[in-house]
Amino acid sequence: MTLHEYLHVFREAIDKIDRYGYAESVDLHQELRAGKQAFLQVTVVLVDGSSLHIKEYVDAMYGIEKVSYGYQYQDVRGDVIFRYDNAAHKPSLNRKEHKHTKSRIIEISPPDIADLVDEIISYL
């Protein structure tokens, strides 16, 4: 998949939230960088007041690699419902990719953006 194709799939997945009538607002910023890289930042405020915050740095030189990412879904008060990220963690985990829930941390690969959107929709 090329960077252009990835960005198209990404935008389509985010647009699904709006098409289904779940978004109060969608703020999507995309910055293309040299060397087939992109930085994406998205905030979606949902109809129930919850919000989805995405930051993703992608390198597509040799295929799509999510160099760094954070997908945070939070309620109207700002409390985290869940968050996927690959930030360093203390105590350290066996793998960098993980998911935070209200009660635990799960070592897990990052979701495909379409699967993330479907997971958010399942909460609404």
Side-chain angles (χ1 to χ4, degrees), residues 13-83:
I14 297 300
D15 287 345
K16 179 179 179 179
I17 299 170
D18 196 30
R19 284 192 317 270
Y20 279 37
Y22 291 123
E24 285 291 326
S25 65
V26 177
D27 185 21
L28 188 149
H29 295 282
Q30 161 184 306
E31 180 182 322
L32 298 177
R33 297 184 177 174
K36 297 184 180 181
Q37 298 175 344
F39 178 72
L40 304 165
Q41 188 167 359
V42 181
T43 300
V44 180
V45 178
L46 300 149
V47 293
D48 66 351
S50 64
S51 56
L52 170 62
H53 302 272
I54 296 174
K55 288 185 181 181
E56 190 175 271
Y57 183 67
V58 178
D59 185 335
M61 182 64 78
Y62 303 107
I64 300 300
E65 176 190 357
K66 295 179 183 182
V67 177
S68 65
Y69 66 90
Y71 312 126
Q72 181 164 304
Y73 179 50
Q74 62 191 43
D75 65 23
V76 68
R77 294 180 312 277
D79 296 329
V80 174
I81 297 170
F82 67 77
R83 179 178 70 247

